[in-house]
Amino acid sequence: MPALTTACPRNCFSTCGMRVEVVDGRLRTLEAHPGNRATADGLCLKGLSYIERVGSPDRLLYPLVRDARGGFQRAPWDEVLDLVAGRLEAARRAWGPQSIAYITGSGTKGLLNGVGLAFWRAFGGCTTTYGDLCWPAGLEATRLTLGENSHNAPWDLANARLIVLWGKNPAETNIHQMKFVAEAQEQGARVVVIDPRRTESAEAADLLVQIRPGTDGALALGLAREIIERGYVDRAFVEAHVLGVEPYARMVREYTPERVTAITGVPAATLARLTEDLGTIAPATICAGFGMQRFTNSGQTMRSLIALLALTGNIGKPGAGWVYANLQSHIWNAPKDPLGFFPPEHQEGGVRVSLSITKLGHDLLAQTDPPVRVAWIERGNPVPQCPETPAVLRALRALEFRVVVDQFLTDTAREADVVLPAKTMFEQTDVINAYWHPYIQLKQKVIEPPGEVKPESEVYRLLGERLGFQRETIDSDFPRPGDAGVEAWLEKRLEAFPGIDLARLREGPVLSPDFQEVAFADRKFPTPSGKIELVSEEAARRWGVDALPRWVEPVESTLRTDRDARYPYHLLTPNTKNRIHSQFGNLPSIRVLAPAPVVFVHPEDALRHGIAPGERVRVFNERGELEVEARFDAGLLPGCICITNGWWLSEGGAVNLLSKARETDMAHGAAFHDIAVAIEKARV
Amino acid sequence: MGRAGFALDLDRCTGCSACAFACRIENDLAAGTSFRQVTTFNPERVASVPVLHLSLACNHCDRPACLAACPTGAYTRNAATGAIDLDASRCMGCRYCSWVCPYGAPQFDRSRGVMTKCTFCAPRVERGVPPACVVACPVDALRMLESAAKAGPVVGAWGERLEHISVPGFPDTGLEPAFKIVSRIRWRPTTQEWRTWRPRGSHAPKWQRRRGEWPLAVFTFLVAVLVGWFGAGAWGGPLPRPLPFLALAALGLGASALHLGRPARMWRVLGNMRGSWISREVALVVAFLVAACAHFFLAPASVPLIRATVVIGLAAVIAIDLVYRIRGQLTRAIPHSGMATLTALYVAALGSEIGWLAAGVGLAKFALYVERHWRDWGTQTVRHSILAVVRITLGLLVPAVAWITGGSPLDLLVLASVLVAEALDRAEFYAELDFLTPERQAALDLAVRVAARPVPV
């Protein structure tokens, strides 16, 4: 019977509580931890696949150093640490500490991740990134409108009578939410899915609204207009708690149903149906996905979606609200995201925050005084996952020295001079938060790291000693070697939170002290006005956008007149149940389900190009090209094609070969879903 | 202890495959394999037709085809849980159970040469823990029919919604599976109608594409020829000579052993005379060969022995044909122009130069052959058409012409021509074998639904 408590630290809504069983030092079984009410029923495919990941024959178990012939050679830790310390010291001496770029991804959560930046501060500084690839525009839109990113408990969704899965496909990306959707349905709830694809989640829905990518804002504004015109506005709620209703109402008047239909491709009858649903069914919850806020217009789009709930009084009540991100468990993050990843106004500790993670390749090359010469990359695989893969590769290859920490030889690790073998979640204890449910959880060490794997915190300590860091700094900032040292370090960080300690976390997930079953139940909105802000002066001031969330056509929209007409298809790059971004795809049981990258094409689009299922297709634009096998998907909106994200360059499916390094309209997100491409049958 | 069986809520199941993965972990199976398979209906998302996922393991049927058909008696019903158990130490790896089970539950384990299947997690249930797949389902879509364990989700909690509906992709061949399906939502078309595209044909692999059974084709064909040869002798033609007869018999038996995962356990084949046509087939073939040996070596002149040998031989070929009469089979095995019984009679009639019988059997074969190919007209490849012409010419026209022109069917050339054609037909019989699987059922049901779908305006 699985007995050891742990939790999955991936960048995923669910962040499951787990119980694992270890037999003879090996992971034997994994199950959902019943103490996490949001994920109590079972782990997903990926959670179960750790059984293959931990002992994978592809796992890196020793440090690797690039040899003269361009290959990798196994090297002893001492030698590797001397080499790395020497190169860091040389760079610091020649160009200063900011010649070293510290680049992290979202590969694993945990308090111990903070040791990285502590190291670079003690080193004298570094250059690092701002922004985030994943969710900034939506976070910022929510912060500007509601004051903070918080939402009702995941299980509260069962109380909703209308659920709108807007650009979200929880059946693949947040499967545990589907249980609460089902519970709501069993009590008579209506479910609407708004998506360009007929997703797996749409199969359970009452209505699928297939929308042209990047036009969700126009749909929301049109719905707001109709809701106001038909008198569906919750007057009492709006008067008490919403700022800017009059200017908002004036602004949306121009989004007539005819115009919205022309922009979005949503038929008038569907629009009317959706208006009735939103106007007459309460409580209503909109669960918004991350994909639609990766467009150039998406901060404004997300603001206009939240406005629908504000107008109908669907905020601060059970079964109602805006389910985007719930940072109730982010108790040790100050300030919380998105503020936490904005470039700071003043430089601290020699850390230069000057690389937009979205424009990583371009910005690495553009740094001066000093230019970046060395990169340290951990918890991420930026080569296939950052926009404009070719630019990222170019920039990495222009550096003098690259260190990559990873469990596998990823596309990014293949570019390194030194690859350090990383621990898995089962090999070092840490404490993690989540962004959907409100639990603080222990990610517990249950097995010893295999081979010569060393946790990053230990590597930093050893490097700090070699680089002559002060003893006090080393002992205060870095955990002492061994499990007891790590636990003492964690306990110290948890001191500020009474009731949360390792002993309690070992029993199971613990509710955050900031937990609210119903967010904004007190109608307190931490915005400048204290109300829900449909008009945001801060948005105008900070981001230079209209204070009202007007809709603008995305940059690469296929309907723009000033666009490049050679690329008539919109490329969708969603996540699937099989991966978390570029992780998991290399495991045998996942490979059985998804052996190779494919492009999904609507059969009518495919037939127009003479493409049959199974044939090779060239997908290209002015930035790059991919050649993958075609599959038919009659559930796609014609004019859209789809390649799921996360395939590696070395697997022939890196979608960011085609994307553009462009920021979202607010919050330094990546607008890398704004992609127009062309397709043709590949020449044999 | 309750009754072993699963229940699936189609509305909740998203096809995530965690159940199949949990099964692999629990049973320590090779990566990518599982006793549980998830089959998707309408994978190309044809408009107005729902997409469904059927997560299926063993249904521990009330009338289990595997248990009835297994020649070694390796299948039993667990008295405590009602689950169908497979004793791998009895299994000889003939894979017949995988023909008769339309749910794909028995699977061949290549490394061990035996079948494996879902045990309803017997070791867990004994400890009072539900099966791994049920526990693993992240959306609580998969449950047990009854509480086979002390705790765990049972279907009863679904209350009134419980209904066993006919679901696309779920084969129903009357085995009374202990499996309940619940659905209220997924039957409603949810998509906007975009275009009128309809799929042409099915991408579901046919059963034969996954495994061939050529050793069985050799075995059954040779037995039919030997029975025919003996029959020819009994009815006035030349009686077989021991050496070539026994050489062919050895070849046939050898071939049949060749397709077993565990040839050393071949002796277990007689373990289920009461239920399995394989046991009966092998018993009768062996009896036929013993009788033939008695004729060759003990009493060559005994007419009753010769007659008895023929009768046993005919019973053996009938048993061979009955092995292939399987519920849910997508092609017709009886009657078929390549049936062992017809081949034996045809060879016997030609060999004994009984004109009316040869003509009758020949015409019957011709009619069955043409009728079968007529049905598939249009989907046949050129290679198939050439084969058809060759088969009819060599097997039916050549002996007919020889007979009309006064030649003898016993002429070596004519004989060889007939045997080649009969072998071709028998090979076709095997190539056409197409047993029901959830995947095939899903493809068939999709074709029906697509055809019935109203054309969008």
Side-chain angles (χ1 to χ4, degrees):
Chain A
M1 180 60 68
L4 297 164
T5 296
T6 189
C8 179
R10 300 280 86 84
N11 178 1
C12 168
F13 286 103
S14 293
T15 315
C16 295
M18 293 175 136
R19 285 193 309 193
V20 301
E21 179 188 24
V22 172
V23 179
D24 300 331
R26 294 170 65 106
L27 211 54
R28 180 61 192 95
T29 51
L30 308 99
E31 275 180 17
H33 197 296
N36 184 328
R37 191 173 162 192
T39 64
D41 273 280
L43 304 175
C44 78
L45 186 66
K46 302 170 287 280
L48 294 169
S49 77
Y50 284 121
I51 215 113
E52 292 177 1
R53 180 161 165 173
V54 170
S56 166
D58 297 337
R59 205 169 148 201
L60 300 175
L61 302 180
Y62 313 95
L64 298 176
V65 176
R66 192 168 294 280
D67 61 20
R69 286 170 298 131
F72 283 116
Q73 283 297 324
R74 180 178 161 182
W77 267 107
D78 274 343
E79 219 170 84
V80 173
L81 289 169
D82 288 345
L83 168 70
V84 172
R87 296 300 295 255
L88 293 179
E89 182 55 48
R92 179 163 66 175
R93 205 174 316 126
W95 306 290
Q98 294 180 347
S99 64
I100 295 157
Y102 173 54
I103 301 162
T104 60
S106 63
T108 196
K109 291 187 180 82
L111 268 176
L112 279 164
N113 287 344
V115 172
L117 206 55
F119 171 86
W120 295 107
R121 286 214 169 94
F123 180 73
C126 67
T127 296
T128 192
T129 60
Y130 62 86
D132 190 278
L133 295 176
C134 185
W135 56 345
L139 286 181
E140 180 65 351
T142 308
R143 190 187 70 85
L144 291 170
T145 311
L146 301 177
E148 65 177 4
N149 280 278
S150 182
H151 66 62
N152 296 10
W155 46 87
D156 174 67
L157 191 61
N159 295 321
R161 285 300 157 268
L162 175 67
I163 296 173
V164 181
L165 301 175
W166 200 322
K168 183 169 181 181
N169 180 19
E172 300 214 52
T173 59
N174 186 188
I175 188 159
H176 305 90
Q177 188 173 50
M178 288 307 279
K179 186 196 150 189
F180 303 122
V181 171
E183 285 178 3
Q185 283 181 300
E186 281 155 20
Q187 296 168 62
R190 187 171 161 80
V191 175
V192 177
V193 169
I194 304 176
D195 204 297
R197 298 187 299 148
R198 177 181 169 187
T199 59
E200 193 53 50
S201 307
E203 293 308 313
D206 299 275
L207 179 67
L208 169 63
V209 181
Q210 284 192 286
I211 187 170
R212 193 165 66 81
T215 66
D216 303 84
L219 177 63
L221 296 174
L223 289 168
R225 178 190 192 272
E226 291 303 290
I227 282 167
I228 294 167
E229 294 273 311
R230 285 161 202 254
Y232 292 142
V233 172
D234 182 339
R235 298 210 170 277
F237 183 87
V238 159
E239 267 162 38
H241 307 297
V242 184
L243 177 79
V245 176
E246 281 78 34
Y248 199 83
R250 276 198 301 280
M251 185 264 290
V252 298
R253 238 173 255 156
E254 59 193 87
Y255 293 90
T256 60
E258 298 71 36
R259 190 169 163 223
V260 170
T261 294
I263 293 172
T264 61
V266 175
T270 309
L271 199 62
R273 178 70 256 180
L274 196 49
T275 304
E276 291 304 307
D277 286 349
L278 279 165
T280 62
I281 307 177
T285 298
I286 296 179
C287 302
F290 294 162
M292 80 184 130
Q293 54 90 59
R294 294 175 190 144
F295 285 82
T296 41
N297 63 1
S298 51
Q300 295 289 66
T301 291
M302 299 303 267
R303 287 179 62 205
S304 64
L305 264 58
I306 308 170
L308 292 172
L309 296 164
L311 291 171
T312 52
N314 274 305
I315 288 182
K317 300 169 184 171
W322 170 246
V323 173
Y324 179 73
N326 189 10
L327 307 187
Q328 290 169 1
S329 64
H330 287 221
I331 49 176
W332 50 75
N333 307 56
K336 283 188 184 178
D337 290 346
L339 297 174
F341 55 64
F342 291 170
E345 282 170 32
H346 307 289
Q347 188 174 303
E348 277 174 57
V351 178
R352 175 173 68 172
V353 186
S354 57
L355 305 168
S356 164
I357 188 70
T358 297
K359 297 185 280 191
L360 183 66
H362 299 291
D363 281 5
L364 274 173
L365 289 168
Q367 299 301 306
T368 53
D369 195 23
V372 173
R373 308 280 191 181
V374 174
W376 178 292
I377 304 173
E378 64 182 36
R379 285 176 272 137
N381 186 10
V383 168
Q385 294 310 110
C386 277
E388 272 193 70
T389 290
V392 180
L393 275 175
R394 211 161 45 238
L396 288 182
R397 288 174 184 170
L399 298 174
E400 301 197 350
F401 190 64
R402 296 139 285 237
V403 179
V404 173
V405 189
D406 211 304
Q407 294 166 7
F408 295 99
L409 206 58
T410 63
D411 291 337
T412 306
R414 282 165 213 252
E415 297 297 317
D417 298 282
V418 169
V419 186
L420 303 179
K423 66 186 188 277
T424 67
M425 58 173 275
F426 304 99
E427 295 153 16
Q428 186 183 34
T429 294
D430 206 340
V431 181
I432 63 170
N433 54 23
Y435 54 79
W436 174 57
H437 63 64
Y439 290 101
I440 312 289
Q441 301 182 103
L442 189 69
K443 186 206 82 174
Q444 190 172 199
K445 176 175 175 177
V446 295
I447 52 174
E448 288 300 323
E452 292 180 8
V453 170
K454 273 189 207 302
E456 292 90 321
S457 61
E458 206 178 318
V459 174
Y460 281 124
R461 192 183 173 95
L462 294 168
L463 281 174
E465 284 165 357
R466 278 171 170 76
L467 288 162
F469 289 9
Q470 304 247 318
R471 196 73 238 170
E472 308 87 77
T473 310
I474 290 178
D475 285 340
S476 70
D477 289 3
F478 306 124
R480 286 169 193 273
D483 299 345
V486 168
E487 287 174 17
W489 189 93
L490 290 170
E491 292 282 19
K492 194 156 171 247
R493 266 78 195 163
L494 293 174
E495 268 169 12
F497 312 105
I500 301 180
D501 53 45
L502 296 186
R504 213 173 138 204
L505 287 167
R506 245 180 223 111
E507 287 164 28
V510 175
L511 275 176
S512 160
D514 294 350
F515 168 59
Q516 289 175 292
E517 173 95 19
V518 175
F520 308 110
D522 54 5
R523 308 290 195 274
K524 290 206 172 93
F525 301 97
T527 55
S529 64
K531 291 184 167 188
I532 300 171
E533 298 202 346
L534 301 190
V535 175
S536 171
E537 293 309 325
E538 190 184 347
R541 199 174 57 245
R542 202 187 261 269
W543 307 111
V545 296
D546 200 315
L548 285 163
R550 287 176 206 279
W551 179 79
V552 288
E553 188 84 57
V555 171
E556 297 205 10
S557 162
T558 50
L559 288 197
R560 269 183 108 104
T561 48
D562 57 348
R563 56 177 280 280
D564 193 334
R566 287 173 301 172
Y567 307 115
Y569 288 94
H570 188 94
L571 173 63
L572 301 166
T573 56
N575 284 305
T576 75
K577 67 178 168 59
N578 300 326
R579 291 166 175 256
I580 297 287
H581 305 301
S582 70
Q583 301 190 65
F584 295 102
N586 57 342
L587 306 176
S589 288
I590 303 289
R591 280 229 178 269
V592 170
L593 298 172
V598 294
V599 57
F600 293 96
V601 188
H602 191 283
E604 294 200 350
D605 287 337
L607 294 173
R608 207 167 35 250
H609 295 275
I611 295 165
E615 287 182 334
R616 304 290 292 176
V617 175
R618 192 170 155 255
V619 181
F620 62 100
N621 59 20
E622 72 273 32
R623 295 179 288 270
E625 67 170 80
L626 278 174
E627 197 185 298
V628 288
E629 218 175 79
R631 289 274 184 287
F632 278 6
D633 182 355
L636 267 176
L637 183 69
C640 295
I641 64 166
C642 172
I643 305 175
T644 61
N645 120 64
W647 294 100
W648 295 3
L649 263 184
S650 43
E651 294 168 321
V655 292
N656 283 307
L657 286 170
L658 299 159
S659 68
K660 171 81 180 165
R662 224 185 246 132
E663 286 194 0
T664 49
D665 56 354
M666 53 181 75
H668 309 295
F672 51 6
H673 288 192
D674 221 329
I675 318 176
V677 295
I679 56 172
E680 65 179 23
K681 200 162 156 171
R683 284 178 211 97
V684 188
Chain B
M1 290 287 182
R3 170 73 173 90
F6 296 102
L8 181 69
D9 184 335
L10 286 186
D11 300 342
R12 287 184 172 222
C13 179
T14 65
C16 80
S17 299
C19 49
F21 207 144
C23 172
R24 121 143 178 74
I25 295 173
E26 177 68 23
N27 294 292
D28 220 355
L29 305 173
T33 63
S34 175
F35 296 149
R36 183 168 279 283
Q37 306 289 335
V38 179
T39 302
T40 299
F41 171 74
N42 191 14
E44 290 181 326
R45 300 186 183 268
V46 178
S48 293
V49 180
V51 174
L52 304 171
H53 307 282
L54 269 181
S55 169
L56 290 177
C58 176
N59 290 319
H60 306 282
C61 302
D62 282 350
R63 300 178 57 203
C66 54
L67 189 149
C70 174
T72 70
Y75 286 93
T76 50
R77 186 181 294 283
N78 186 305
T81 64
I84 302 298
D85 289 338
L86 168 63
D87 180 354
S89 69
R90 295 181 71 93
C91 176
M92 62 180 190
C94 76
R95 293 175 278 181
Y96 189 48
C97 47
S98 73
W99 297 11
V100 301
C101 173
Y103 305 111
Q107 296 173 13
F108 187 59
D109 178 345
R110 274 181 202 289
S111 62
R112 294 193 300 147
V114 293
M115 301 304 292
T116 55
K117 70 177 273 297
C118 160
T119 64
F120 204 67
C121 278
R124 290 173 67 102
V125 171
E126 273 165 31
R127 297 198 310 266
V129 184
C133 53
V134 170
V135 169
C137 179
V139 289
D140 191 19
L142 189 64
R143 294 188 177 185
M144 295 177 288
L145 270 190
E146 289 173 34
S147 186
K150 283 173 201 146
V154 294
V155 73
W158 284 334
E160 287 152 27
R161 296 195 299 122
L162 178 63
E163 41 185 323
H164 188 165
I165 41 179
S166 138
V167 170
F170 186 77
D172 187 358
T173 58
L175 306 180
E176 295 175 25
F179 186 68
K180 298 283 183 222
I181 296 171
V182 174
S183 175
R184 289 188 306 177
I185 297 167
R186 291 220 173 188
W187 298 99
R188 298 200 296 256
T190 58
T191 44
Q192 289 171 208
E193 290 293 355
W194 280 104
R195 296 288 193 276
T196 56
W197 177 80
R198 293 171 178 202
R200 255 190 280 161
S202 148
H203 300 302
K206 287 201 173 185
W207 180 86
Q208 268 296 336
R209 297 262 313 264
R210 277 179 266 166
R211 46 180 290 230
E213 294 287 5
W214 65 266
L216 290 181
V218 172
F219 166 68
T220 55
F221 174 68
L222 288 178
V223 170
V225 168
L226 293 179
V227 170
W229 192 359
F230 216 98
W235 297 337
L239 271 163
R241 274 164 299 158
L243 194 65
F245 185 95
L246 291 177
L248 285 177
L251 188 67
L253 288 175
S256 79
L258 209 63
H259 98 291
L260 297 179
R262 287 291 186 97
R265 293 185 188 161
M266 196 178 181
W267 58 275
R268 288 191 181 274
V269 71
L270 301 179
N272 186 7
M273 297 295 289
R274 286 179 61 193
S276 174
W277 276 109
I278 297 216
S279 292
R280 294 168 193 160
E281 166 206 58
V282 173
L284 286 164
V285 168
V286 169
F288 166 68
L289 295 177
V290 168
C293 285
H295 157 74
F296 291 140
F297 304 118
L298 299 176
S302 166
V303 174
L305 180 58
I306 290 172
R307 285 187 182 150
T309 307
V310 172
V311 169
I312 297 168
L314 283 174
V317 287
I318 289 170
I320 285 176
D321 287 334
L322 287 172
V323 164
Y324 298 89
R325 196 189 55 175
I326 288 166
R327 281 163 176 266
Q329 188 178 332
L330 297 170
T331 49
R332 202 174 58 197
I334 299 178
H336 188 286
S337 60
M339 275 167 71
T341 310
L342 286 183
T343 299
L345 283 176
Y346 194 45
V347 170
L350 289 174
S352 56
E353 298 190 61
I354 303 176
W356 62 269
L357 184 59
V361 176
L363 278 173
K365 275 176 169 285
F366 180 75
L368 286 168
Y369 190 87
V370 169
E371 187 261 347
R372 189 169 84 249
H373 285 257
W374 190 259
R375 254 186 293 147
D376 300 337
W377 194 256
T379 59
Q380 302 246 37
T381 61
V382 174
R383 209 181 53 181
H384 272 108
S385 308
I386 293 171
L387 261 181
V389 171
V390 169
R391 190 262 175 272
I392 289 172
T393 308
L394 294 185
L396 303 166
L397 292 182
V398 166
V401 168
W403 188 45
I404 290 164
T405 56
S408 164
L410 288 174
D411 184 280
L412 261 185
L413 269 178
V414 176
L415 202 63
S417 151
V418 166
L419 289 179
V420 166
E422 289 298 299
L424 276 178
D425 210 356
R426 191 66 189 165
E428 263 189 52
F429 175 89
Y430 278 90
E432 286 165 10
L433 280 183
D434 195 4
F435 301 114
L436 206 50
T437 61
E439 214 175 0
R440 291 285 287 141
Q441 183 76 56
L444 293 169
D445 291 341
L446 182 63
V448 171
R449 286 200 164 232
V450 166
R453 192 184 64 163
V455 177
V457 184

